[in-house]
Amino acid sequence: REREREREREKQRETEMRRKRFHDDDFASKKRDVLRRGRRLNSRFCRLLLCLLFLLLGFVSVEQSGLEGGRCAWWLCGAFAEDDHFGGRHEQKTNNHAILVDASRFWFNYRHAANTLAIYKTIKRLGIPDENIILMVADDYACNSRNVRAGEVFTDDSGYENNVYTEDIEVDYRGDEVTPANVLRVLLDAHYYNSEEDESDDDDGSVLLNLPNSKRLRTDENSNILFYLTGHGGDEFLKFQDQKEITAMDLQNAFTKMREMKRYNELLFVVDTCQAGTMFKRFNGLRNIIAVASSMKGENSYAHGTRNDIGLAVSDRFTRFLYEYLKRDNAEEITLREVFQRAQSPQIRSYLMSTVQVDWSNYVDGRQLGDVKVGDFFANAHSRRKKSRTFNAQKSNEKDEEAYATILPGFATASAFTSA
């Protein structure tokens, strides 16, 4: 009986510690949310003041210089009322969100964190704000004692220019918080903690967590979602921290519920792991989902190479191809079909040493496939509308070759690479 009582007390202590971590350890995240709301209110207030100013200026111009002068001021008033920068029409437009997950811990999985951070930097550069990004990193490689470049994470074999762990990084889930259960909670916005079993889907007797908005995926039926996963995987599963796993059936059930809850408009699912194509093997009856995998069943997903000062591979080949491809000017205007057809070309396939698999079968209610662009998932719609340049196909091809020149030449033999 004493042992049973001791186990009960230990379980209660663990429950309290976990609640404290979720409730008290997120003060900084809550503070960021308050500051962001304040900035939005300030922008709307400034927009209102400017509209009133130009409206008054219009009436004054009518009295002094006639109707034409008033029309000019009233036009400026309307322009500020609808301007994206001041919170105008874009608030009703499709909004883009991202969930980026590094599922691996331990030092030798450095490249999986670098993959995730490289995609994070890419979508931030293309305009998606931090409040629309859920970033999950299973281990803190930047502060690992074996990292000779403390506080930095690199994606290149040499040089120190491409540090992806900069001061503007906002990691929402780190360490032990990166679990299959938390990934599913984020997808469904069902943040409950069950004291009996963390993986339980039954919310009876569970506690609703008071999480800050930065840990929640705040989407609606107009939201496009980029869902990126990287780590060690196998046939229909992806391992989390070498202890737990998320399966293809888990994702099938989650996406079905998300559609019923009107949690998304379109979803791009990208997974970089061994046998990655099996992760959407169970995707049946879903709507508006595009799935992309770095490898097919029975194939490995290979790392790019080894960095001498760190002694490890610093990126996986498929993810490296993806973020290098998106470094081009006006990358958000490229179609997804073009990107993944290029990934399946003989030149890139020989570099990847695996077959990129793309599944469009669940995109039955969406647009024509040739109309789906990179910016529909990797960029912010507001930023895209502000650009007035047209897309030049010839210039794109030139940039394309420059990008591949940084990836492809002078590679070692296949034996020099490690599998994911």
Side-chain angles (χ1 to χ4, degrees), residues 20-34 210 212 214-215:
K20 180 177 177 59
R21 183 175 63 197
F22 276 115
H23 286 277
D24 300 334
D25 198 38
D26 293 317
F27 176 76
S29 298
K30 293 179 181 179
K31 183 177 179 181
R32 284 197 300 269
D33 291 335
V34 171
N210 183 25
S214 61
K215 285 180 174 283

Side-chain angles (χ1 to χ4, degrees), residues 8-24 193 195 207 209:
E8 287 295 327
R9 286 194 292 267
E10 183 65 26
K11 186 180 293 186
Q12 290 177 1
R13 283 195 295 269
E14 290 178 358
T15 301
E16 290 301 321
M17 288 177 61
R18 193 170 298 194
R19 288 178 180 174
K20 180 177 177 59
R21 183 175 63 197
F22 276 115
H23 286 277
D24 300 334
Y193 167 66
S195 59
V207 179
L209 300 174

Side-chain angles (χ1 to χ4, degrees), residues 106-107 139-148 150:
F106 305 122
W107 174 245
D139 208 339
D140 194 353
Y141 300 93
C143 298
N144 193 292
S145 59
R146 285 171 285 189
N147 189 352
V148 297

Side-chain angles (χ1 to χ4, degrees), residues 94-133:
T94 299
N95 50 85
N96 294 351
H97 295 252
I99 311 171
L100 311 178
V101 182
D102 156 37
S104 300
R105 68 185 309 174
F106 305 122
W107 174 245
F108 53 83
N109 292 317
Y110 180 104
R111 65 188 182 278
H112 295 152
N115 291 342
T116 308
L117 294 172
I119 298 297
Y120 171 81
K121 300 294 285 186
T122 298
I123 64 176
K124 281 197 67 175
R125 176 175 54 82
L126 294 176
I128 297 184
D130 269 313
E131 54 262 34
N132 288 11
I133 302 173

Side-chain angles (χ1 to χ4, degrees), residues 152-264:
E152 297 176 329
V153 174
F154 296 99
T155 57
D156 283 348
D157 297 350
S158 60
Y160 302 103
E161 294 80 18
N162 289 331
N163 172 29
V164 292
Y165 198 87
T166 52
E167 293 182 356
D168 61 339
I169 294 288
E170 292 187 15
V171 180
D172 301 299
Y173 291 80
R174 65 170 72 243
D176 293 338
E177 293 180 334
V178 182
T179 63
N182 278 340
V183 170
L184 298 176
R185 286 173 184 141
V186 168
L187 290 172
L188 300 174
D189 199 28
H191 295 279
Y192 290 88
Y193 167 66
N194 191 293
S195 59
E196 294 296 328
E197 178 58 47
D198 197 27
E199 299 292 337
S200 174
D201 292 329
D202 185 7
D203 289 335
D204 295 338
S206 59
V207 179
L208 177 63
L209 300 174
N210 183 25
L211 292 180
N213 286 333
S214 61
K215 285 180 174 283
R216 298 175 58 192
L217 185 68
R218 297 171 294 166
T219 57
D220 53 38
E221 67 270 20
N222 296 318
S223 301
N224 285 358
I225 301 175
L226 168 65
F227 184 19
Y228 173 84
L229 278 172
T230 185
H232 291 284
D235 191 357
E236 296 190 39
F237 71 90
L238 179 75
K239 291 197 297 184
F240 275 70
Q241 308 198 32
D242 283 344
Q243 296 177 356
K244 300 178 181 179
E245 60 187 35
I246 194 169
T247 66
M249 186 57 71
D250 292 334
L251 296 176
Q252 156 75 17
N253 294 336
F255 292 156
T256 301
K257 291 179 182 178
M258 289 178 71
R259 190 65 180 176
E260 294 172 354
M261 298 165 64
K262 297 182 178 181
R263 293 274 293 155
Y264 73 93

